[in-house]
Amino acid sequence: MRPALLALLVAAALPALAVAADEAQKPRTTQELLDASQPSDWRALDPASTLYLELATGRVVIELAPAFAPQHVANIRTLAHEGYWNGMSINRSQDNFVVQWGDPAEEGQPRKPLGDAKAHLPAEFERDAAGLDFHALPDRDGWAPEVGFADGFPAARDPAEGKAWLAHCYGAVGAGRDVAADSSDGTELYVVDGQSPRQLDRNITLVGRVVEGMELLSVLPRGTGPLGFYEDAAQRVPIKAIRLAADVPEAQRTKLEVLRTGTPLFDAVVESRRNRRDDWYKRPAGHIDLCNVTLPTREPPAH
Amino acid sequence: MRPALLALLVAAALPALAVAADEAQKPRTTQELLDASQPSDWRALDPASTLYLELATGRVVIELAPAFAPQHVANIRTLAHEGYWNGMSINRSQDNFVVQWGDPAEEGQPRKPLGDAKAHLPAEFERDAAGLDFHALPDRDGWAPEVGFADGFPAARDPAEGKAWLAHCYGAVGAGRDVAADSSDGTELYVVDGQSPRQLDRNITLVGRVVEGMELLSVLPRGTGPLGFYEDAAQRVPIKAIRLAADVPEAQRTKLEVLRTGTPLFDAVVESRRNRRDDWYKRPAGHIDLCNVTLPTREPPAH
């Protein structure tokens, strides 16, 4: 293989070493840290807060964030449980921004009934910071006084205002709205698939994040209409189903674990990204932006 | 159309108004500013520094940056002029990171001869800041002491060290290298198509940026091999040709103008993105990251 952009392969090929005494102070790469992780460093997703978006190309796994958007998440659970999105489509793909799905009915056309879901929800742009297990990153952020992770989600906090909110990083899932702040009902969902549009933070309700399967969304052809909407109905991408994992037989669920945040291992992983220590990097950055921290996942190890 | 994520359509539909005296102080949206732009606010691309990457799906237009990477750009001009990449392929697509093209020959296999291009180039990770028309953004950046635009490129500067360098924003084009800093020859080029990987700044030579056609690269199926390389040769994406615009008959060149940076209008555009003033935004951010500033382009107006 020709010269690759990153020498991550080198790091990935290193065996998980028992750390000898004279090596204990040596900074370790992300892969070395993960290889040395313990079972308690990982968590499974809660099936009641996990959505499966089923496309012809495969499954996208979404973790919902009831701690940040409880009313939207409750509505989304109801919509998924009742099969609201099954047979609908992804209607929008705007380059370096978002994909979006929902009822493709044009304005003035009849919309699909919401069933037991609520037609009106409050804006859930932020929440009280109190009671949230927020773990700040060491670096300063330009968009918010503090950024870090809360319950596995990239988030921000303003200690002076006592508020916290989810951040628009790659893979963030939000509830589209009209001009009115409280005009989202959770039926119209978007996923960020470009440079983090942090200007949306505290302006729209984020409901979760994609944990697996982003590569099925990010490659969708860009729509040529305004805002990246597909101009022809035939261009829309069919959604086979959106289901709550709890409604899916256990044997059909995706086996997946996510690295816990707020642990010493996670801090070490962040540090390994702030200062890359493999041979390829000549000048470690000494910094990382919130949305440059990727959250490792894995298949659960066989028992 | 259903509630859209952004109400940009509202702004786009506003006519270009002559600014009345009592409206002069009213902040204007990006679209209003562009509608009121003058011909001198725009520039054409230099055909000697413009590459056309021709794919089956269309043309990607790349502006080269000889002010930052003169030796790499010289080599790339030679390679394009001699048709080095014609009939080669895009060999890598890694989600939320880069696409990359070049000679797909495996290690140990014969490589395509470089013709008149040099086989060895120095690393061009940074340059002297002196003599560069650097225009700083008002906001602080975490990765560099100063960020802004230089000759239309997103860039960073360290006044203490007297150095400047191009930034890895969406659309940045760089020269892949091996572990040695000076191991790039300009044949292996990558394009950033995810969250800005600024940790690469000053670690690899950037040679330019995509000005038009990112949506042809960002949708390429992700490779399933390590680093996103395609595992089967059949998955590679053929390159019809990469040509220097100067080598293309004028009638076949892409008519395109780019907004100048370092002008009062550009400052106003940046401010309109730092604080969005349309009805959709409830809380303007009061901040923008370098890589969230998009550089407007347009078809030259008819004379």
Side-chain angles (χ1 to χ4, degrees):
Chain A
M1 195 168 283
R2 293 275 309 118
L5 174 55
L6 287 184
L8 284 178
L9 274 178
V10 178
L14 288 172
L17 295 168
V19 179
D22 59 344
E23 287 189 336
Q25 300 310 312
K26 191 179 165 232
R28 287 182 288 174
T29 65
T30 308
Q31 190 59 50
E32 289 171 321
L33 289 163
L34 295 180
D35 287 343
S37 67
Q38 299 302 308
S40 60
D41 289 316
W42 301 84
R43 65 183 173 92
L45 298 181
D46 176 0
S49 292
T50 304
L51 280 187
Y52 294 152
L53 162 59
E54 312 281 6
L55 303 174
T57 51
R59 175 181 285 177
V60 178
V61 179
I62 295 168
E63 182 177 23
L64 297 170
F68 284 90
Q71 300 209 47
H72 279 75
V73 168
N75 232 34
I76 288 167
R77 285 181 179 134
T78 301
L79 292 163
H81 184 67
E82 298 183 349
Y84 173 81
W85 290 287
N86 302 354
M88 278 191 187
S89 52
I90 298 174
N91 307 313
R92 176 188 186 192
S93 171
Q94 183 172 4
D95 196 58
N96 193 19
F97 196 30
V98 297
V99 296
Q100 187 172 329
W101 62 83
D103 189 340
E106 301 284 332
E107 198 161 336
Q109 298 294 309
R111 295 192 56 206
K112 181 166 178 174
L114 295 183
D116 291 327
K118 292 181 181 169
H120 187 80
L121 298 175
E124 296 180 296
F125 298 171
E126 60 187 20
R127 56 157 281 170
D128 284 343
L132 190 66
D133 183 18
F134 187 92
H135 198 76
L137 289 182
D139 295 311
R140 197 185 126 160
D141 181 78
W143 305 91
E146 286 183 346
V147 290
F149 287 83
D151 291 331
F153 288 88
R157 184 168 69 172
D158 186 334
E161 294 189 26
K163 297 292 182 188
W165 56 93
L166 292 177
H168 276 82
C169 295
Y170 191 86
V173 182
R177 68 164 171 86
D178 214 330
V179 171
D182 63 352
S183 56
S184 58
D185 59 14
T187 62
E188 191 82 12
L189 297 179
Y190 65 91
V191 178
V192 170
D193 67 355
Q195 167 71 12
S196 46
R198 297 279 309 280
Q199 74 279 358
L200 295 175
D201 291 1
R202 304 179 96 179
N203 276 290
I204 192 163
T205 300
L206 284 176
V207 301
R209 69 180 184 91
V210 172
V211 175
E212 186 175 278
M214 269 307 295
E215 71 281 5
L216 306 180
L217 297 175
S218 56
V219 299
L220 295 178
R222 290 4 181 180
T224 50
L227 303 175
F229 279 93
Y230 294 122
E231 294 185 275
D232 295 329
Q235 297 171 312
R236 296 174 188 148
V237 179
I239 292 173
K240 290 163 69 175
I242 296 184
R243 298 181 293 173
L244 204 58
D247 291 333
V248 173
E250 194 161 347
Q252 295 169 31
R253 293 182 195 161
T254 300
K255 306 293 178 276
L256 189 65
E257 290 184 341
V258 181
L259 192 69
R260 290 184 191 278
T261 57
T263 63
L265 176 66
F266 185 72
D267 289 346
V269 166
V270 169
E271 176 55 29
S272 75
R273 309 306 278 175
R274 295 180 74 243
N275 287 297
R276 310 274 185 130
R277 300 295 187 185
D278 59 65
D279 292 338
W280 192 88
Y281 277 90
K282 308 308 175 192
R283 183 191 287 264
H287 172 87
I288 197 162
D289 275 355
L290 174 65
C291 294
N292 288 91
V293 179
T294 49
L295 285 172
T297 61
R298 69 172 185 181
E299 271 190 68
H303 291 297
Chain B
M1 196 169 281
R2 294 275 307 119
L5 175 56
L6 286 184
L8 285 178
L9 272 178
V10 177
L14 289 172
L17 296 166
V19 180
D22 59 344
E23 286 189 337
Q25 300 308 314
K26 191 180 164 230
R28 287 182 289 173
T29 66
T30 308
Q31 190 59 51
E32 289 171 320
L33 288 162
L34 295 180
D35 287 343
S37 67
Q38 299 301 310
S40 59
D41 289 316
W42 300 84
R43 65 183 173 92
L45 298 181
D46 176 1
S49 292
T50 304
L51 280 188
Y52 295 152
L53 161 59
E54 312 281 6
L55 302 174
T57 50
R59 176 181 285 176
V60 179
V61 180
I62 295 167
E63 181 177 23
L64 297 170
F68 284 89
Q71 301 208 45
H72 279 76
V73 167
N75 233 34
I76 288 167
R77 285 180 179 134
T78 301
L79 291 163
H81 184 67
E82 297 182 351
Y84 174 80
W85 290 286
N86 301 355
M88 279 193 190
S89 52
I90 298 174
N91 307 314
R92 176 189 186 191
S93 171
Q94 184 172 4
D95 196 57
N96 193 20
F97 196 30
V98 296
V99 296
Q100 186 171 327
W101 63 83
D103 189 340
E106 303 283 333
E107 198 160 335
Q109 298 295 309
R111 295 192 57 204
K112 181 166 177 174
L114 295 181
D116 291 327
K118 292 182 182 168
H120 187 80
L121 298 175
E124 296 180 296
F125 299 171
E126 60 187 21
R127 55 157 281 170
D128 284 342
L132 189 66
D133 184 18
F134 186 92
H135 198 76
L137 290 183
D139 295 312
R140 195 184 127 159
D141 180 77
W143 304 91
E146 286 183 345
V147 290
F149 287 83
D151 291 330
F153 288 88
R157 185 169 67 173
D158 186 335
E161 294 189 26
K163 297 293 182 188
W165 55 94
L166 292 178
H168 276 83
C169 295
Y170 192 85
V173 182
R177 68 164 170 87
D178 214 329
V179 171
D182 62 351
S183 57
S184 58
D185 59 13
T187 61
E188 192 80 13
L189 298 178
Y190 65 90
V191 178
V192 171
D193 66 354
Q195 168 70 14
S196 47
R198 297 278 308 280
Q199 74 279 358
L200 295 175
D201 291 2
R202 305 179 96 178
N203 277 290
I204 193 164
T205 300
L206 284 175
V207 301
R209 70 180 184 92
V210 173
V211 176
E212 186 174 277
M214 269 306 297
E215 71 282 4
L216 305 181
L217 298 175
S218 57
V219 300
L220 295 179
R222 289 7 181 179
T224 50
L227 303 175
F229 278 93
Y230 295 122
E231 295 185 275
D232 296 328
Q235 297 171 312
R236 296 175 189 148
V237 179
I239 292 173
K240 290 163 69 174
I242 296 184
R243 297 181 294 174
L244 204 58
D247 291 334
V248 172
E250 193 161 349
Q252 295 168 31
R253 293 183 196 160
T254 300
K255 306 291 177 277
L256 189 65
E257 288 184 343
V258 180
L259 192 69
R260 289 184 192 279
T261 57
T263 63
L265 176 66
F266 185 73
D267 289 345
V269 165
V270 169
E271 177 54 30
S272 75
R273 309 306 279 175
R274 295 180 74 243
N275 288 296
R276 310 273 185 131
R277 301 295 187 183
D278 59 64
D279 292 336
W280 192 89
Y281 278 89
K282 307 309 174 191
R283 183 192 287 265
H287 173 87
I288 197 162
D289 274 356
L290 174 65
C291 293
N292 288 92
V293 179
T294 50
L295 286 172
T297 60
R298 69 172 186 181
E299 270 189 70
H303 292 295

